[in-house]
Amino acid sequence: MQTPRINWNPPMTKYLAERCVFHNQPFCLVDVGASGGFDRYWEAFGNDLRVIGFDGLVKEVERLNADRNPNYCYYPYLVGEKSYLPPEGVPDTQPFVRTSAWRTMEITKLNYPATYFDRTGSGEVTTEMIELDQFLLRDHPTDVDFIKVDTDGSDYQVLRGARQLLSERQVLGLGVEVQFHGLVHDESNTFRNIDRFLTSLGFSLFDLESHRYSRSVLPKPFLLRLPAQTQGGQMMWGDALYVRDAGNENYEGAWSLQLPAHKLIKLACIFEIFGIEDCAAEVLLKYRASLGAYVDVDACLDLLTPPRNGQKSYADYTREFEADPSSFYPKS
C-alpha cells in the first residue's frame, strides 16, 4: 500500500530501531499479494523487521526467496477463506471492462499479471489456497503487527479468512486495496463490506487514497506508464489504511483489549510511517507512564514534531498553538 503521505524517512521509528527497542519483539509484516516484494518504507525497522509474504505467482515467489534474507519468507499460496462462495444473481456495478485501461489490454493483447506482477515473466499460478487463521495461528504461530492485502479482487475473502487472527490477537493495523464497485451484496468484495468487517473488529479508517479510471469511449491520459489509473474518470479502486485507535480514551473498554508496551510503541511507529504523526503523539502521551520504562517519550515527541519558526521541540510547538491557534491558519 502506498499513499502520498507515506513517511519514507520516519525519524522516530529509525531512532527506536537504532536503539534496539524492537530487538526482543521484532515487527512482523504479513504481505498478501507480495509480488515485487514488500514496500520499502518498512525497512525503517532495520534488522528487526520480519516479513511473511504470500502470492499465487509461483516463479515470482521463488525469485523473492532467492534473496535468502532469513528475516523475509515468501510462500506460493493464494489466500482467502475456503468456505467463501461469491454471491450470485445480484447486480454488478463494476465498470472496469468499460475503461481505457481494459481497452488498452485488449488492443495490445497484454497479459497484465505476467507483465507487471511476475518479474520472471512465467505467469504460473498456484491453485493451493490457505487461510491466514490456520497458517498464522496454528501451522506457524506468529505475533503479527501489520497485514497488507492487495489481491486485485479477493481482499474481502482474505480478511474473512483472518477473522480469528484479527479478533483474538493484537494485530495493530492493515493496508487493504478496496473496490468501490462490484456485486451488490453484503458479502461481496467491496469497500463498504471491508469497512463494516474491520470496524466491527476494533479497527478505524485513517486514510483512503482513491484511483480513477476513464471510460474507453473518451480516454484520459494515464498517470503511469501502464494501463491503470488516469487523470480523471470514475473513482474505482482505493488503498485504505485501518489502525487500532488506541489513543481513544475508551478504547480498551470498548474492545476489551489491553495492548502491552511493545505493541503501543509499534502502533506509534505505524502512525508515523503513514504520515499521521499526531496520532502517534496521542498514543505516546496517553500511555506515557507505561512507556517511559522502554523509550524516552519526550525524545520521541520531539522527533515527531515538524519544524516551525525555528523551533523543533514538541513542548514549544504545542505551546505556540495553545497561545495563538490562529497562527496555524494559512498565511494567505
Side-chain angles (χ1 to χ4, degrees):
M1 172 184 179
Q2 298 194 33
T3 77
R5 291 162 290 278
I6 288 293
N7 188 345
W8 288 87
N9 184 35
M12 181 191 72
T13 302
K14 288 188 172 183
Y15 165 82
L16 295 175
E18 290 169 358
R19 282 154 182 75
C20 300
V21 170
F22 310 107
H23 187 64
N24 295 322
Q25 300 286 347
F27 187 94
C28 180
L29 167 68
V30 172
D31 190 346
V32 181
S35 65
F38 65 91
D39 293 314
R40 293 299 164 177
Y41 46 77
W42 294 112
E43 290 181 338
F45 288 99
N47 293 329
D48 293 319
L49 173 67
R50 303 291 183 269
V51 178
I52 300 173
F54 302 95
D55 203 281
L57 292 166
V58 176
K59 296 301 181 182
E60 173 66 3
V61 168
E62 291 180 2
R63 186 191 69 81
L64 291 170
N65 281 326
D67 181 43
R68 301 194 183 283
N69 187 321
N71 291 341
Y72 312 149
C73 188
Y74 297 89
Y75 297 88
Y77 297 134
L78 302 173
V79 182
E81 184 189 42
K82 294 181 179 180
S83 63
Y84 178 80
L85 295 175
E88 296 181 353
V90 297
D92 189 349
T93 64
Q94 177 57 260
F96 183 61
V97 296
R98 293 147 56 199
T99 66
S100 56
W102 179 269
R103 182 59 185 147
T104 298
M105 289 186 283
E106 287 184 327
I107 294 170
T108 61
K109 296 180 173 55
L110 176 67
N111 183 326
Y112 200 96
T115 302
Y116 295 110
F117 298 150
D118 189 348
R119 296 188 183 180
T120 71
S122 164
E124 179 184 350
V125 180
T126 184
T127 59
E128 188 171 358
M129 176 181 288
I130 58 98
E131 296 179 347
L132 292 183
D133 279 345
Q134 179 67 39
F135 192 94
L136 296 171
L137 292 179
R138 291 175 280 279
D139 296 343
H140 304 274
T142 306
D143 182 16
V144 177
D145 294 302
F146 193 92
I147 302 175
K148 170 236 151 180
V149 184
D150 185 350
T151 65
D152 292 316
S154 60
D155 308 278
Y156 180 60
Q157 295 94 303
V158 172
L159 298 176
R160 281 176 51 114
R163 183 187 296 271
Q164 185 180 0
L165 178 68
L166 296 172
S167 60
E168 299 179 8
R169 295 296 189 267
Q170 297 171 341
V171 178
L172 300 173
L174 305 95
V176 187
E177 182 184 62
V178 295
Q179 295 181 186
F180 297 115
H181 313 283
L183 297 175
V184 182
H185 192 278
D186 286 347
E187 295 300 327
S188 66
N189 183 54
T190 53
F191 170 66
R192 70 185 186 93
N193 293 329
I194 289 173
D195 182 74
R196 176 168 48 84
F197 181 85
L198 290 177
T199 55
S200 74
L201 297 177
F203 297 92
S204 295
L205 179 65
F206 276 85
D207 201 357
L208 179 61
E209 181 188 13
S210 64
H211 305 299
R212 298 178 179 275
Y213 286 67
S214 64
R215 296 290 201 268
S216 61
V217 295
L218 189 60
K220 294 179 181 291
F222 292 110
L223 292 178
L224 306 170
R225 296 185 63 82
L226 72 162
Q229 56 263 44
T230 55
Q231 296 177 13
Q234 185 179 14
M235 185 174 67
M236 292 183 56
W237 270 275
D239 291 316
L241 174 67
Y242 287 87
V243 187
R244 295 193 183 275
D245 188 13
N248 184 333
E249 181 181 356
N250 301 313
Y251 188 84
E252 290 81 2
W255 300 104
S256 301
L257 180 68
Q258 188 74 43
L259 294 173
H262 72 275
K263 284 284 187 176
L264 292 168
I265 295 169
K266 291 176 180 179
L267 180 63
C269 291
I270 290 172
F271 281 132
E272 182 194 28
I273 286 171
F274 284 99
I276 318 174
E277 295 90 347
D278 51 318
C279 295
E282 190 176 50
V283 170
L284 293 175
L285 290 168
K286 177 182 174 181
Y287 299 99
R288 177 191 284 273
S290 60
L291 298 183
Y294 303 92
V295 299
D296 184 336
V297 173
D298 289 320
C300 289
L301 289 169
D302 287 345
L303 289 169
L304 291 172
T305 304
R308 176 180 169 83
N309 298 331
Q311 300 171 342
K312 294 186 177 181
S313 78
Y314 172 78
D316 289 343
Y317 187 91
T318 53
R319 188 181 301 117
E320 182 177 344
F321 176 79
E322 293 295 330
D324 182 13
S326 66
S327 67
F328 280 65
Y329 293 168
K331 298 303 181 184
S332 60

